[in-house]
């Protein structure tokens, strides 16, 4: 899924403003967002957050479900990012303007690289139990004009320990390397723990990290983490302990702090308010973002963009 808010706010992110230069344990409470109007699907959005806007290049985190629902997201645009779709339950059909059509199921990865411009749609074939996360990765300036592309990975590398299974979705963890293409040093992994399962994950001290419980309750570095908030862990860690008294799942996100400042609005990632304004105009005028075929719904109209850009933030730390 994507950002379907009716009144999205422009957000200035990155630039090392929020990066903790030491290990921390900060619970970041997300906000509930209803996608596509009052009857749409509810998601919990923990990035960008009021206090922490990014974790490495990860700039957007929506957790939805589990609930019985029908997903139907009409064609809409993206720039300057990668979308990472990860399911725990259900199935979703992806179509995009480079001609991709791919059904994703739990444990599989759909990765779309927007580059300069792409559009896509998402829908569940019928009302199903849906549970998953939608993540965005900001592309660095050197790569944000790459040609749009799509990857589907039905099998991903894993690490195992007694009662624990770690699936490496993006990047590298403990020597296991995902086949997904990345443009900055980062990692995304799902940790599944049986009752009594525990593991010490190897981390990179130069990365910043965060953890999101997807189900159950998992103790992460001494903090009991339930689904909902994002636990920001800062930098300077060489390992992270996880333990579950009952079955649970945790999403681990990490990456080299993203030094560039970005501007996010609706489904665009750019570098300035003026650039976002241009992206919106190009989408509304048509052509730059291509056409998604096989979809009956008309493309989404972009919301109105505030005329005044958001002011840069002061340093929080």
């Amino acid at each position: 899924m994507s950002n379907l808010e009716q009144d999205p706010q422009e957000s200035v992110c990155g630039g090392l403003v929020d990066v903790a230069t030491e290990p921390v344990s900060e619970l970041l409470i997300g906000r509930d967002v209803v996608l596509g109007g009052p009857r749409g699907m509810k998601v919990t959005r923990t990035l960008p957050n009021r206090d922490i806007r990014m974790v490495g290049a990860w700039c957007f985190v929506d957790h939805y479900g589990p609930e019985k629902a029908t997903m139907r997201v009409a064609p809409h645009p993206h720039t300057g990012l990668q979308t990472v779709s990860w399911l725990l339950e259900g199935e979703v059909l992806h179509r995009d303007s480079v001609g991709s059509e791919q059904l994703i199921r739990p444990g599989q990865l759909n990765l779309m690289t927007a580059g300069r411009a792409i559009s896509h749609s998402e829908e569940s074939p019928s009302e199903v139990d849906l549970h998953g996360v939608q993540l965005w990765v900001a592309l660095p300036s050197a790569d944000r004009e790459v040609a749009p592309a799509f990857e589907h990975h039905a099998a991903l590398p894993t690490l195992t320990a007694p009662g624990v299974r770690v699936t490496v979705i993006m990047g590298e963890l403990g020597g296991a390397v995902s086949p997904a293409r990345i443009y900055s040093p980062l990692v995304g992994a799902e940790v599944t723990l049986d009752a009594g399962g525990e593991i010490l994950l190897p981390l990179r001290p130069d990365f910043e990290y965060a953890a999101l419980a997807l189900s159950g309750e998992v103790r992460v570095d001494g903090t009991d983490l339930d689904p909902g908030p994002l636990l920001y862990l800062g930098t300077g860690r060489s390992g992270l302990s996880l333990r579950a008294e009952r079955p649970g799942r945790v999403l681990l996100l990490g990456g080299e702090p993203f030094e560039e400042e970005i501007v996010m609005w609706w489904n665009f990632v750019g570098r300035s308010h003026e650039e976002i304004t241009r992206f919106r105009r190009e989408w509304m005028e048509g052509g730059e973002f291509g056409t998604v075929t096989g979809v009956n719904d008309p493309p989404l109209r972009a919301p109105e963009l505030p005329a005044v850009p958001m002011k840069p933030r002061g340093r929080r730390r």
Side-chain angles (χ1 to χ4, degrees):
M1 297 191 303
S2 297
N3 187 3
L4 304 184
E5 287 185 278
Q6 302 298 303
D7 185 26
Q9 300 302 302
E10 198 171 68
S11 180
V12 179
C13 307
L16 306 184
V17 172
D18 302 325
V19 178
T21 57
E22 61 186 2
V24 298
S25 293
E26 297 183 17
L27 280 174
L28 307 178
I29 305 302
R31 60 188 180 95
D32 290 339
V33 178
V34 178
L35 302 181
R39 295 186 179 181
M41 177 180 289
K42 186 179 77 172
V43 304
T44 299
R45 182 165 300 159
T46 48
L47 282 183
N49 192 278
R50 181 187 63 184
D51 295 323
I52 302 293
R53 299 293 174 88
M54 297 178 69
V55 177
W58 301 98
C59 61
F60 184 92
V61 176
D62 271 1
H63 180 200
Y64 57 92
E67 67 171 298
K68 188 171 288 294
T70 301
M71 180 187 294
R72 188 162 183 166
V73 183
H76 56 280
H78 285 292
T79 61
L81 57 82
Q82 291 179 292
T83 64
V84 180
S85 300
W86 184 253
L87 284 177
L88 284 76
E89 294 181 68
E91 54 186 24
V92 173
L93 179 63
H94 164 99
R95 294 186 178 96
D96 63 40
S97 56
V98 298
S100 311
E101 181 173 324
Q102 179 64 55
L103 188 69
I104 181 177
R105 295 187 172 92
Q108 301 176 348
L109 169 64
N110 271 6
L111 175 65
M112 186 181 73
T113 300
R116 171 62 182 84
I118 199 171
S119 57
H120 73 130
S121 68
E122 296 159 291
E123 62 180 298
S124 55
S126 60
E127 186 175 72
V128 294
D129 291 323
L130 281 176
H131 186 193
V133 286
Q134 177 71 58
L135 312 164
W136 294 358
V137 177
L139 293 173
S141 288
D143 300 299
R144 67 193 187 103
E145 298 273 347
V146 299
F150 176 79
E151 303 172 35
H152 173 77
H153 299 284
L156 294 163
T158 60
L159 304 170
T160 59
V164 182
R165 178 182 176 88
V166 182
T167 302
V168 182
I169 303 169
M170 298 276 284
E172 182 270 340
L173 183 67
V177 181
S178 168
R181 183 168 185 179
I182 60 175
Y183 291 87
S184 58
L186 58 80
V187 65
E190 183 194 72
V191 186
T192 303
L193 300 101
D194 298 336
E198 59 182 320
I199 191 171
L200 180 64
L201 294 175
L203 301 187
R204 286 180 49 169
D206 59 324
F207 275 22
E208 60 178 337
Y209 290 92
L212 179 74
L214 301 176
S215 64
E217 179 184 272
V218 178
R219 175 161 288 191
V220 180
D221 192 39
T223 298
D224 291 329
L225 191 60
D226 295 300
L230 184 72
L231 180 63
Y232 179 67
L233 298 163
T235 60
R237 295 175 181 270
S238 59
L240 182 69
S241 63
L242 289 83
R243 177 176 172 78
E245 297 301 326
R246 57 191 178 93
R249 292 187 182 187
V250 169
L251 181 70
L252 176 72
L253 301 176
E256 189 175 272
F258 200 80
E259 296 187 2
E260 299 178 41
E261 191 171 89
I262 65 172
V263 177
M264 293 174 55
W265 179 81
W266 197 43
N267 292 293
F268 302 132
V269 170
R271 293 300 186 274
S272 68
H273 175 78
E274 291 73 24
E275 194 171 56
I276 296 294
T277 300
R278 176 165 57 84
F279 292 155
R280 181 190 182 279
R281 182 178 66 251
E282 290 172 353
W283 169 246
M284 296 300 290
E285 292 176 351
E288 292 290 331
F289 291 87
T291 301
V292 181
T293 60
V295 180
N296 294 324
D297 296 328
L300 293 178
R301 287 187 57 83
E304 292 300 321
L305 176 64
V308 179
M310 175 175 284
K311 294 180 180 179
R313 298 167 295 146
R315 181 169 292 275
R316 188 176 72 89
R317 299 182 186 278

